[in-house]
Amino acid sequence: MRAQPFTMEHWGLSLPDVDATPETARGPLDEHEQRLLAEAHRAVDNARTARWMLGFSLEVVRRRRLYRGDGTRTWEQYLAQEHDGLSTSEADRLQKTWRLAQTVQKELGRPLPDSHLRKLQPYAERTSDQEAARAYAELYWAHQTGGVRLVANQVQQRVKKALAAAKGVSDPAERSQAVSAAWTTAPEAVMPAQRGEAEREQSRASERSSDPVDAALQLLNAARQAVEDATEDKAARKARSGEEAQRQQDAIRRIGRILSKVKVDADADTVDEDVIVDAELVES
């Protein structure tokens, strides 16, 4: 019989007898409410921690050949029977990435999302788990300070730029140094806080303006964020065919091309020339 997983008794969170209302829940959170919110956040962190712990446990089972059961069961049969048909490729990925996930959690003080882990892994492979964890934590806290949410696509683009700097470098030590240097000196390293303030100012300016173009741009930005979040949906990605992905990518690019041709006109006595609105929903 399998050992039982953690239960609600291990968790300091419970449903209220009566729901809070705008009248009963006003102002900043009190000390008790802050504790409840922390417990709610702990559920998310526990789920992410359990993900890399699964990779650790799979490696233990595989390396000790515990999967053999009565002596005849194979690794593939074990995954099918005990892990609801977990594919060998996904099991391999979990075993490959759990050390980085654990290292980041120790460095950051909280686990990182699985989507971020996948994008960060190539950086760790060119440098080390410790260097990747340090670099990620630096990037994460820079975005937090600037009030800007760090998304997986940003991690991926930054990793690509860093790895490109080491192209053609054969010596492992020199390659690692080149990658680390490119990550550190990239312009984006010091920009999140400044961008965050600029975006907040732009948002305040849009709120003050009654211009319908500003309202439309706010909707466009919300749509862009929704598309970025949707592309990180792991379940949808697994179910999506190559043809569907290509169709969606083509549609996104088509929208970007259409928007790049939009012109915002103003009276001649206000500005001397047309202002071009160049909008792109997502990075290619």
Side-chain angles (χ1 to χ4, degrees):
M1 183 177 179
R2 293 174 68 138
Q4 294 299 300
F6 292 117
T7 64
M8 294 290 284
E9 283 69 28
H10 299 91
W11 199 18
L13 197 65
S14 60
L15 290 173
D17 294 330
V18 180
D19 289 354
T21 66
E23 290 72 27
T24 60
R26 304 182 66 177
L29 299 180
D30 60 30
E31 186 175 342
H32 176 64
E33 289 173 322
Q34 290 177 2
R35 286 198 301 270
L36 290 177
L37 182 61
E39 285 296 302
H41 289 170
R42 193 156 70 98
V44 176
D45 291 345
N46 284 345
R48 290 172 176 169
T49 300
R51 187 70 175 165
W52 68 254
M53 290 180 68
L54 172 58
F56 171 76
S57 67
L58 286 170
E59 185 169 341
V60 171
V61 170
R62 180 183 58 80
R63 293 178 60 181
R64 292 181 177 275
R65 304 183 76 86
L66 302 178
Y67 58 80
R68 69 186 188 277
D70 61 0
T72 63
R73 188 166 63 175
T74 66
W75 172 244
E76 291 76 11
Q77 290 172 332
Y78 165 77
L79 294 176
Q81 295 172 8
E82 304 292 347
H83 291 277
D84 300 319
L86 181 69
S87 67
T88 54
S89 60
E90 179 64 8
D92 290 343
R93 190 188 73 80
L94 289 168
Q95 293 171 80
K96 184 179 180 180
T97 59
W98 74 261
R99 289 178 178 81
L100 174 58
Q102 181 191 52
T103 305
V104 172
Q105 183 164 340
K106 289 180 179 179
E107 177 74 24
L108 191 64
R110 56 176 296 178
L112 78 170
D114 196 50
S115 59
H116 291 205
L117 176 63
R118 290 195 301 272
K119 308 303 184 186
L120 188 64
Q121 183 64 32
Y123 186 89
E125 292 172 355
R126 297 299 193 282
T127 56
S128 67
D129 289 343
Q130 290 72 26
E131 167 60 21
R134 183 204 62 77
Y136 177 85
E138 180 184 78
L139 184 66
Y140 175 86
W141 289 119
H143 279 72
Q144 286 291 303
T145 300
V148 182
R149 187 170 70 90
L150 179 63
V151 298
N153 187 55
Q154 292 170 316
V155 178
Q156 180 183 37
Q157 295 302 318
R158 193 176 185 83
V159 168
K160 284 183 178 180
K161 292 178 181 178
L163 298 187
K167 187 176 181 180
V169 181
S170 57
D171 182 75
E174 292 181 1
R175 185 168 59 243
S176 176
Q177 290 176 358
V179 171
S180 299
W183 178 286
T184 302
T185 58
E188 293 84 352
V190 295
M191 291 304 292
Q194 299 172 20
R195 284 204 310 271
E197 179 57 35
E199 289 172 0
R200 286 193 291 273
E201 177 57 33
Q202 183 179 8
S203 176
R204 289 192 290 266
S206 296
E207 291 174 357
R208 293 192 297 268
S209 173
S210 60
D211 194 322
V213 173
D214 284 329
L217 287 173
Q218 287 182 338
L219 292 174
L220 181 62
N221 189 57
R224 176 194 57 78
Q225 187 63 64
V227 171
E228 287 185 350
D229 292 343
T231 59
E232 297 301 328
D233 190 312
K234 185 177 180 181
R237 184 167 59 251
K238 285 184 176 181
R240 186 182 299 123
S241 68
E243 291 181 356
E244 290 175 327
Q246 187 60 53
R247 173 184 59 78
Q248 293 169 345
Q249 188 68 69
D250 290 343
I252 290 172
R253 289 172 177 166
R254 185 165 58 253
I255 293 171
R257 288 194 297 270
I258 293 171
L259 288 172
S260 69
K261 299 177 182 179
V262 174
K263 291 185 178 181
V264 180
D265 295 322
D267 290 339
D269 59 350
T270 303
V271 294
D272 294 330
E273 58 184 2
D274 291 338
V275 179
I276 307 300
V277 177
D278 187 355
E280 184 178 47
L281 286 180
V282 297
E283 296 183 23
S284 299

